[in-house]
Amino acid sequence: MGRGSTVNDGAEVKLDPNYFCTRAPAVVANIHNKMAFTVKRTLMNPKFDGYKLAALSEADVVHALLLPADGLSQATVAAGAYLSFQEVQNRIRHNHLSPGIGSQGSATLGYIDKAGIFTIIEIDRSTLTVRFRSVFEIPQVIRSSQRGSEYPVAICAAPDIWVISDGGGQLFVVRTPQTADQAELLAQHDYIVDNEPKPCRMHAACMRNESILIIVSSRGQVEKAASGRPSLTFHLATLRILIPDGPPMDTRSSPVEILWTKRSTDIPSYVSSIADNWLICAGSTFEDVLDPIVVPMEGVPMVTLPDTQPTGKPPPPYSWTQTNDSLTIAIPLPSTTPKSHIHVSIAPKYLSVLIKDAEDSPFPIPRYAMKELWDHIDKETSLWTWDKQGERTVGLLTLHLEKKNEGTKWPHVFAHDGTNPDSEEVPETVDPSEMWKIREALEKYTSDLQGNGEFGTEMPSLAAGELDPSVDTEVGRRMTVSYFDVLTGQEASPHSAYEEILAFPIPSTISTLSSETDARSMVIKRGIDGLLFEGPVVPTVEPWEHTTTFPALGFVLASKRDLRYAFHLGKAAIVALESGGKDVNPNMYIYYAAKGAPNARQSVVRLGRDGSAGSLVGVALVETEKGLVLVGLRERELVLVCDFL
């Protein structure tokens, strides 16, 4: 296991002290050259030795209860949709639980169930009694195509005021007084692009005077990149909804006002309202939408997969596409393949993909042992995911490889493709959506088509392969940090350089943790440490302030194979939460602040009592008279974790 050793599920984590003696000064010196994030040497902890288990009694701290009706599902949308790598990753990390603004006596949360019903969760602050209120049913619209529909989202913009997006372009503003069983519809609008509702994901909302500002993302056009190749883009837009003074006379839908639109090659991972700006973290920068050179979808070259039904010949062993700076490879595997049977090792010039018991597969599975790539990649930012594809018989192992030589066009994935009978040449799939057709072809090949194509529930595994100890510390996502004026979209200051972000603030109903200070904070990876930074209210070129250090956080997070969420609770602790799944309870790991000591506490608890309650799909924090309570939303169960700090 790389530097030091670690054992999961509560065992002590010890680190090699020589690592800090030899590496920490060099790491800190390099950080001082960063424009936006400057490290305070006094907050570093080179003498840190490791985390020690502090046991928590699950019977005392974990309380679970069933959700009303049929619960919710992360497979609600995307049926039959072809998703890009960015869209898959964004859906995996989506938090389905939204904090509200409760009263003095109760904390309020909200979610949208699988039937499209917005449900309020009220938690009594003194007794922890939970009350569910199903207050609004999203009107179902029959569309010619559901492809591209996003998750429905509900966001609290003011006390008792929620904004609801159905994911298909409909927006609703409702009032939810505690004394009413049903919400009052205040406004209904459509996000119209090119004269039709545009499917979108709602990220954040805030009140400004007598209006609500909403920021959404959506799939953009296929445009020509700098290299001249078609590239999928994403749009980011701020919308404004005026709130009527009294009960509306007419709630018929009308087009929403669009204040500004930008585009990028990635979807935001974090959005927060800071003063008069949006704070946005994403894997690419944003630019104004002017007059893009649009490539018509019918003009994009397609790869025609062979008709496997009459010939019995399977499609190629993998599909792949590339951008200016990355490659995405999709390898089909039987959906019954356990994640523990998948072994991926990524090196700068070599790739290994080994599947245990591959000979039992109904179709051939490629085996790559230290196979040489066509060019070098950056293994520190490359990762892989395994998606079972719901009830289908074929899932996809997807590898995202970052090019070391940006701008270089690869003719093949591997160095010797097509040069001998044992190395098949696989042509590039130019349209990213075509990568998913390999599943359809193999379904025909195996003559065992089942299910409805719903989005699978398996969660990502970082490229911390068992075959290469050097990748033990690879975790986090490379993102830029930007401020944009909420009304004009003007960038308030130069965006940051790309940083590996380990954790964002946990969604919360608590005044001390949901303040602007915490909303503009994040944990940045430095070496194997996690450094908490707090940003300015008014963005300037001044660096963010380094306020505390979580030693070896990158190291311990990399050991989590099913890590779905990682949040910081101010300076107190980091919580890392696994997804769980069928018959498996998700785990919650807590890493407490070291505060300069050579050791720090860690704890682990299972979220829920019923292993069949489904995956963890949402997390939030509430304040009660008994202290802070973490609320976990599973597909069929609500979990409260008390007394964990």
Side-chain angles (χ1 to χ4, degrees):
M1 291 292 298
R3 305 178 186 91
S5 62
T6 180
V7 181
N8 287 337
D9 300 328
E12 179 179 349
V13 176
K14 271 186 89 66
L15 304 177
D16 181 0
N18 294 326
Y19 172 79
F20 292 99
C21 297
T22 59
R23 291 292 304 277
V27 171
V28 173
N30 183 55
I31 294 172
H32 278 287
N33 296 326
K34 299 287 186 182
M35 181 185 71
F37 298 92
T38 302
V39 174
K40 291 183 180 179
R41 289 177 177 269
T42 56
L43 295 180
M44 301 301 287
N45 191 354
K47 296 182 180 180
F48 185 74
D49 184 50
Y51 289 94
K52 292 187 176 180
L53 177 65
L56 293 176
S57 171
E58 292 179 0
D60 295 331
V61 303
V62 178
H63 308 277
L65 61 158
L66 292 176
L67 296 177
D70 296 327
L72 73 163
S73 172
Q74 57 187 339
T76 300
V77 297
Y82 296 128
L83 302 176
S84 67
F85 177 82
Q86 294 94 328
E87 290 169 309
V88 171
Q89 292 298 301
N90 191 262
R91 292 175 189 245
I92 286 172
R93 296 183 175 92
H94 179 66
N95 193 341
H96 292 256
L97 186 61
S98 300
I101 302 175
S103 64
Q104 185 176 359
S106 64
T108 302
L109 304 160
Y111 70 92
I112 299 174
D113 69 13
K114 63 169 59 176
I117 298 176
F118 172 52
T119 301
I120 294 287
I121 305 171
E122 293 178 354
I123 302 176
D124 189 280
R125 297 187 191 274
S126 60
T127 64
L128 296 187
T129 302
V130 177
R131 176 192 177 197
F132 296 96
R133 289 195 297 145
S134 299
V135 297
F136 183 76
E137 183 174 0
I138 299 176
Q140 300 299 312
V141 177
I142 299 176
R143 298 184 176 92
S144 59
S145 175
Q146 293 292 333
R147 289 189 177 184
S149 293
E150 291 283 354
Y151 283 131
V153 176
I155 296 178
C156 187
D160 296 333
I161 301 293
W162 291 78
V163 185
I164 299 173
S165 166
D166 74 339
Q170 289 189 111
L171 301 168
F172 307 89
V173 180
V174 300
R175 179 181 286 118
T176 59
Q178 287 185 308
T179 57
D181 293 330
Q182 294 295 319
E184 176 188 0
L185 179 61
L186 300 180
Q188 179 176 347
H189 295 278
D190 290 325
Y191 176 37
I192 302 296
V193 177
D194 296 331
N195 298 319
E196 62 180 23
K198 180 69 172 178
C200 62
R201 172 79 61 84
M202 184 168 60
H203 294 276
C206 64
M207 292 289 294
R208 286 296 182 272
N209 300 323
E210 300 301 321
S211 63
I212 299 179
L213 301 182
I214 306 166
I215 189 164
V216 300
S217 65
S218 59
R219 181 183 288 193
Q221 303 283 357
V222 177
E223 302 177 3
K224 284 186 178 179
S227 62
R229 296 182 57 255
S231 175
L232 179 63
T233 63
F234 300 94
H235 284 182
L236 188 72
T238 289
L239 317 177
R240 178 162 57 188
I241 297 177
L242 298 178
I243 302 301
D245 295 333
M249 301 298 294
D250 185 0
T251 56
R252 287 180 298 181
S253 184
S254 60
V256 70
E257 180 184 5
I258 303 174
L259 297 183
W260 52 264
T261 304
K262 294 182 179 293
R263 71 167 179 262
S264 71
T265 58
D266 194 25
I267 305 168
S269 295
Y270 179 73
V271 181
S272 180
S273 171
I274 305 297
D276 292 324
N277 297 287
W278 296 118
L279 170 62
I280 300 175
C281 299
S284 67
T285 58
F286 293 86
E287 60 183 15
D288 293 330
V289 175
L290 299 174
D291 296 313
I293 301 175
V294 178
V295 180
M297 292 300 292
E298 60 270 15
V300 178
M302 300 292 183
V303 173
T304 303
L305 295 177
D307 186 350
T308 60
Q309 195 72 356
T311 64
K313 181 181 177 182
Y318 61 88
S319 257
W320 71 286
T321 187
Q322 65 180 315
T323 64
N324 194 44
D325 56 0
S326 66
L327 272 82
T328 302
I329 306 170
I331 301 175
L333 301 176
S335 60
T336 56
T337 304
K339 188 178 295 182
S340 59
H341 286 196
I342 302 174
H343 300 274
V344 177
S345 178
I346 301 174
K349 194 65 166 64
Y350 295 92
L351 176 68
S352 294
V353 178
L354 305 175
I355 311 301
K356 185 179 179 180
D357 298 330
E359 60 274 8
D360 298 331
S361 169
F363 53 84
I365 294 178
R367 175 185 176 88
Y368 303 131
M370 295 299 289
K371 191 173 177 70
E372 185 179 2
L373 296 167
W374 188 84
D375 197 4
H376 288 81
I377 61 170
D378 186 354
K379 72 170 187 177
E380 295 183 356
T381 56
S382 300
L383 53 86
W384 60 272
T385 64
W386 166 230
D387 188 350
K388 284 186 176 180
Q389 287 298 311
E391 299 296 325
R392 288 191 179 272
T393 59
V394 179
L396 285 180
L397 171 65
T398 305
L399 295 83
H400 181 76
L401 309 179
E402 293 286 339
K403 295 179 180 178
K404 193 71 172 180
N405 300 314
E406 187 174 338
T408 302
K409 182 177 175 60
W410 290 30
H412 317 290
V413 172
F414 298 108
H416 305 293
D417 271 1
T419 59
N420 60 69
D422 297 327
S423 60
E424 180 179 358
E425 180 179 355
V426 179
E428 180 188 2
T429 300
V430 178
D431 181 2
S433 70
E434 288 292 307
M435 298 186 63
W436 299 83
K437 287 190 176 180
I438 192 170
R439 182 197 69 202
E440 307 296 335
L442 278 170
E443 294 280 6
K444 293 180 181 179
Y445 176 74
T446 58
S447 300
D448 190 19
L449 184 62
Q450 295 179 356
N452 56 9
E454 288 186 342
F455 181 69
T457 60
E458 285 298 314
M459 296 301 107
S461 294
L462 297 177
E466 296 86 343
L467 305 181
D468 187 355
S470 67
V471 300
D472 277 347
T473 59
E474 296 178 8
V475 69
R477 296 192 65 208
R478 293 181 69 247
M479 285 180 270
T480 61
V481 180
S482 306
Y483 282 85
F484 295 102
D485 186 279
V486 294
L487 295 177
T488 66
Q490 181 178 358
E491 193 164 11
S493 66
H495 58 265
S496 73
Y498 282 92
E499 299 286 350
E500 286 187 80
I501 301 180
L502 297 177
F504 290 111
I506 188 169
S508 170
T509 64
I510 307 168
S511 58
T512 55
L513 284 176
S514 59
S515 65
E516 285 196 345
T517 298
D518 291 282
R520 52 185 165 83
S521 60
M522 60 195 68
V523 178
I524 305 292
K525 184 172 181 285
R526 288 289 184 266
I528 63 172
D529 292 335
L531 279 57
L532 179 65
F533 284 88
E534 296 177 358
V537 176
V538 179
T540 65
V541 295
E542 297 176 0
W544 285 38
E545 182 183 2
H546 174 199
T547 60
T548 195
T549 298
F550 293 96
L553 180 64
F555 182 87
V556 295
L557 290 184
S559 68
K560 306 298 179 290
R561 290 298 305 267
D562 286 323
L563 179 65
R564 179 164 193 175
Y565 302 119
F567 295 115
H568 73 78
L569 281 62
K571 301 178 183 179
I574 299 290
V575 292
L577 302 113
E578 294 177 335
S579 168
K582 185 177 181 181
D583 300 326
V584 178
N585 281 317
N587 288 322
M588 169 183 167
Y589 300 88
I590 309 120
Y591 298 99
Y592 303 92
K595 300 179 180 179
N599 296 105
R601 293 184 300 141
Q602 72 160 340
S603 298
V604 57
V605 294
R606 289 179 298 178
L607 295 181
R609 303 289 175 81
D610 187 355
S612 63
S615 299
L616 180 72
V617 295
V619 183
L621 197 69
V622 301
E623 186 177 31
T624 72
E625 295 178 7
K626 302 178 184 296
L628 299 182
V629 175
L630 184 137
V631 182
L633 181 68
R634 298 177 67 183
E635 290 178 299
R636 291 175 292 280
E637 189 177 64
L638 190 74
V639 183
L640 306 183
V641 184
C642 313
D643 301 324
F644 66 94
L645 285 180

